[in-house]
Each structure stands twice: as structure tokens, then as C-alpha cells.
Amino acid sequence: MPPLDRDTRLSYRGAARIREDQDTPTQTTDQRLLRSADSARDPWRVLRIQSEFVEGFDNLATVSGAVTVFGSARIAPDTPYYDLGRELGGALAGAGYPVMTGGGPGLMEAVNRGACEAGGYSIGLGIELPFEQNLNQWVDLGINFRYFFVRKTMFVKYAQAFVCLPGGFGTLDELFEALTLVQTRKVTQFPIVLLGTEFWGPLLDWVRGTLVEQGFVSPADVDLLQVTDSVADAVAIIGQSRQRQGGEDHR
């Protein structure tokens, strides 16, 4: 095989890294799982799902009290949001927290980069997607998953707090899943911090003005979210929560 040059595009299928011109999948593993036409194979898929849980638990077993950060993959370097993510990663690392992201580009890269540059422990949990998204270069520990639900379990199990930077549907999905787990007490209450009042403010206005007013959620549910523009405040909120919990395991 000829040596790979700098411009070769690589993708991941689970833990495997594959050269793009040798990779011809028509569907991701999640897509195949959710197709009813393939249901006869589902009992065997349980073994692959089990192996992903084992791999995640094994690799993350020594991680304690991490902060999971969500944010858009589409933000370019040298932009205000990227700089904010980099500052956040550095501040969390400086406060002694392992930092965990989705391991991709954009704000995930920014947070991993900030944590790495500050000498902290930088973790990236990647996911198989139908378009290219490799683990960024700033992760100390990187794990690639085939199944979203396995990856999401790792985000929650090894974290003591969530911070949400601006993002799209993926970030919103992760935010509301975390919020639901806290609201239903599936996990002991721990902070969910939204960083960026201009970005998150309209969403909170809708939650208060529509969901609360029409009785779909209670006012106390909204209080589970804390919004700020200050990285220092975000880190302080996490620290205060840790002191209140007194080291209690939320899992």
C-alpha cells in the first residue's frame, strides 16, 4: 500500500480508522440497527452493543468527576465562539476537572484544545457518522463509538456536570437528554450550565413563556438550567455543586 499523504481523508467505523477510498459503507451501524428489515440480525447485534459498553467502561474506568461539554462541530477556529470554548477547556483543566467532549471539530476541538494546552486531561468520544468527522488532535483519550446511545451513556456516567456551548440539533439533543435525566431524578441533580446568554436566551424565553405558562413543565424545572456569559462563573457553579454534593456518586 502506498504511504498516506497529508491530504488523505480518513473516517472511523467504530474503533477502526479507514481510508476514505477504501471505505464504501452505504449506512451507519445505527441506521442498520433501526431498520426493521434487518431485525432478524438484532440478537447478534446485542454482542456488538455489549462490546461497545465494555470498551467504554474499560477505557473510562479511571476517569472521575469529569465535566462533559457539548457544542457545535461547525464553528471555525479564530472566531469568538471557538475562543470561548478554548477558554472554557483551559479553565476546567485549571480547576482540576477532566474534560470530555464529542471529540470532533469546531467547539469540541476548541474545548479539548484548551484543556490540553492547560495541561489537563482531554477526552473525546467520537461517533460513526455518514459524513467525515474524525477525532480532533487535542484528545489524550479518544474512543470511537458506533451507537449513539452507548456514547451518551458514557457522557453521563463519567461526568459530574454539563456545560453547553452554542450548537445545533446534536447539542440540543444532548442538552435536553441531560435535563430530562436530572428532572426525572435518573441521576442525582448536578449542574447544567448554558454558556452564552445571547444564544441561549431566546430558548429559555420560549420555555418560560410557552412550556411553563401552558403547564408542560414546572417553574422549578427551568431552574435546573443556569445561563452565563462568564467562563469563571461556569466553573464556579460546578465547584459549588461539587461541594454541596460532598463527593456523592450521582450515577
Side-chain angles (χ1 to χ4, degrees), residues 164-203:
C164 292
L165 291 161
F169 289 153
T171 300
L172 292 173
D173 171 56
E174 291 153 341
L175 163 61
F176 281 106
E177 180 157 12
L179 181 59
T180 301
L181 289 172
V182 176
Q183 189 258 353
T184 57
R185 300 184 182 179
K186 289 293 187 180
V187 295
T188 302
Q189 182 172 332
F190 61 99
I192 303 173
V193 182
L194 308 180
L195 195 55
T197 56
E198 183 177 357
F199 182 87
W200 294 108
L203 175 64

Side-chain angles (χ1 to χ4, degrees), residues 115-138:
C116 186
E117 291 174 334
Y121 193 37
S122 176
I123 303 166
L125 307 184
I127 187 68
E128 176 189 88
L129 294 173
F131 47 87
E132 181 187 21
Q133 180 171 302
N134 298 332
L135 288 172
N136 67 68
Q137 64 178 314
W138 300 100

